[in-house]
Amino acid sequence: MGCYECCVKCLGGIPYTSLFATLLCFTGVALFCGCGHQALTETERLIETYFSRNLQDYTSLAYIIVYFQYIIYGTASFFFLYCIILLAEGFYTTSAIKETFGNFRSTLCGRFLSTTFIAVTYLLAVIWLLVFACAALPVYIFYNMSSTCQTITILSETSSGLNQLCVDARQYGVLPWNATPGKVCGMTLVAVCKTKEFDMTFDLYIAAFAGAGATLVALIHFLMTLSANWAYSKDSWKVRLYNSIRVKETQELEEILKSSRNGTTSSNEIEKA
């Protein structure tokens, strides 16, 4: 085998669909975990600086943010290992690997393992769909805050009573209702929207939301690939069973024909004698 044939065989053994899903999953999880972690830190600073003057008002929020950050660490580690396992599964089920190790042998253990991967990936996709929906909530809050700032800026030259336009963090459940002041109004809100912290936090939440969406797409892609491999293994098992039965029947038929020929030859020899 020449160099060109070896390169073609190696390239043919790469599971491009699983590789694409793995890279997409790594990118999505990195965006979600990295940007989400930093966005939570910046959110705590914004709450501490502009929405609450009492430490006890956002103590619970600070603990929740810390817990979420630890969950982010675990999520990143889990998805890294799980995507590597699914990528290895993809490499094993390629045509080049099947050609190297002979015909694809669909064992009961292999089918059970594939079914387990499908079930776990489906469960992860459902859970991540909820994560994706929750990631949209801070984007919605910051978008409303930015829209209110733009409205105040437009009306600042023509209208009065702009202090009635406010963003209340308490109505989103971020702070308790007894928090003071709990809201930012008027030109003070505009000043908050013009800070670098606000812009960076808004961008980080958008990036985390996009990362959650990319991870969801990657999980769906993995689920489709695993389902296709499981269907192939099921069909190959049926074909292999059919071939084994056909070979067995062919051997029995050849033995019968051979026996009949031997019997005919013996009878002819007896008649001649």
Side-chain angles (χ1 to χ4, degrees):
M1 184 179 295
C3 181
Y4 176 76
E5 288 79 6
C6 291
C7 292
V8 171
K9 185 177 180 180
C10 292
L11 291 176
I14 298 176
Y16 292 101
T17 55
S18 298
L19 183 61
F20 171 76
T22 301
L23 294 177
L24 184 62
C25 187
F26 282 167
T27 304
V29 171
L31 276 176
F32 176 77
C33 295
C35 296
H37 182 278
Q38 188 61 30
L40 290 173
T41 303
E42 297 297 330
T43 300
E44 183 180 1
R45 293 176 183 174
L46 287 174
I47 294 294
E48 179 182 359
T49 305
Y50 300 104
F51 288 91
S52 180
R53 299 189 182 95
N54 189 356
L55 179 62
Q56 296 179 353
D57 293 339
Y58 60 91
T59 301
S60 299
L61 177 64
Y63 282 122
I64 292 174
I65 288 176
V66 172
Y67 292 150
F68 269 113
Q69 288 175 340
Y70 280 114
I71 291 174
I72 285 174
Y73 299 147
T75 301
S77 303
F78 171 78
F79 270 96
F80 177 78
L81 294 177
Y82 189 69
C83 289
I84 292 296
I85 293 174
L86 293 182
L87 182 61
E89 172 77 6
F91 269 103
Y92 182 74
T93 55
T94 53
S95 59
I97 297 299
K98 285 181 270 185
E99 183 181 354
T100 301
F101 291 97
N103 293 328
F104 185 79
R105 299 182 179 275
S106 176
T107 61
L108 181 62
C109 180
R111 293 196 299 274
F112 174 76
L113 189 62
S114 298
T115 305
T116 303
F117 280 139
I118 292 174
V120 172
T121 306
Y122 179 79
L123 181 61
L124 287 176
V126 173
I127 295 175
W128 202 260
L129 182 62
L130 299 176
V131 174
F132 178 69
C134 293
L137 183 59
V139 176
Y140 171 75
I141 295 174
F142 275 80
Y143 175 77
N144 283 344
M145 190 172 177
S146 178
S147 299
T148 305
C149 292
Q150 293 177 2
T151 302
I152 295 175
T153 303
I154 294 173
L155 298 178
S156 60
E157 298 179 357
T158 59
S159 303
S160 59
L162 295 178
N163 288 329
Q164 296 179 358
L165 296 176
C166 305
V167 171
D168 195 340
R170 296 170 296 185
Q171 67 180 357
Y172 298 109
V174 178
L175 293 175
W177 284 106
N178 58 355
T180 55
K183 61 181 180 179
V184 179
C185 304
M187 299 307 297
T188 305
L189 179 60
V190 175
V192 174
C193 293
K194 290 181 179 180
T195 59
K196 294 181 179 179
E197 292 82 2
F198 176 83
D199 292 334
M200 183 176 66
T201 306
F202 193 14
D203 293 338
L204 287 172
Y205 276 124
I206 293 175
F209 177 71
T215 306
L216 181 61
V217 173
L219 288 175
I220 294 174
H221 200 285
F222 270 129
L223 184 61
M224 295 172 62
T225 304
L226 290 171
S227 300
N229 291 337
W230 182 84
Y232 174 80
S233 65
K234 184 178 179 181
D235 292 339
S236 66
W237 177 78
K238 292 181 179 178
V239 171
R240 187 165 61 89
L241 181 62
Y242 169 75
N243 290 332
S244 63
I245 295 174
R246 187 181 65 177
V247 169
K248 184 177 180 181
E249 291 178 349
T250 303
Q251 291 176 352
E252 292 178 353
L253 181 60
E254 289 178 353
E255 291 178 357
I256 293 173
L257 292 175
K258 185 177 180 181
S259 299
S260 64
R261 290 190 189 121
N262 293 334
T264 304
T265 303
S266 299
S267 62
N268 291 334
E269 291 179 352
I270 293 173
E271 290 178 356
K272 288 180 180 180

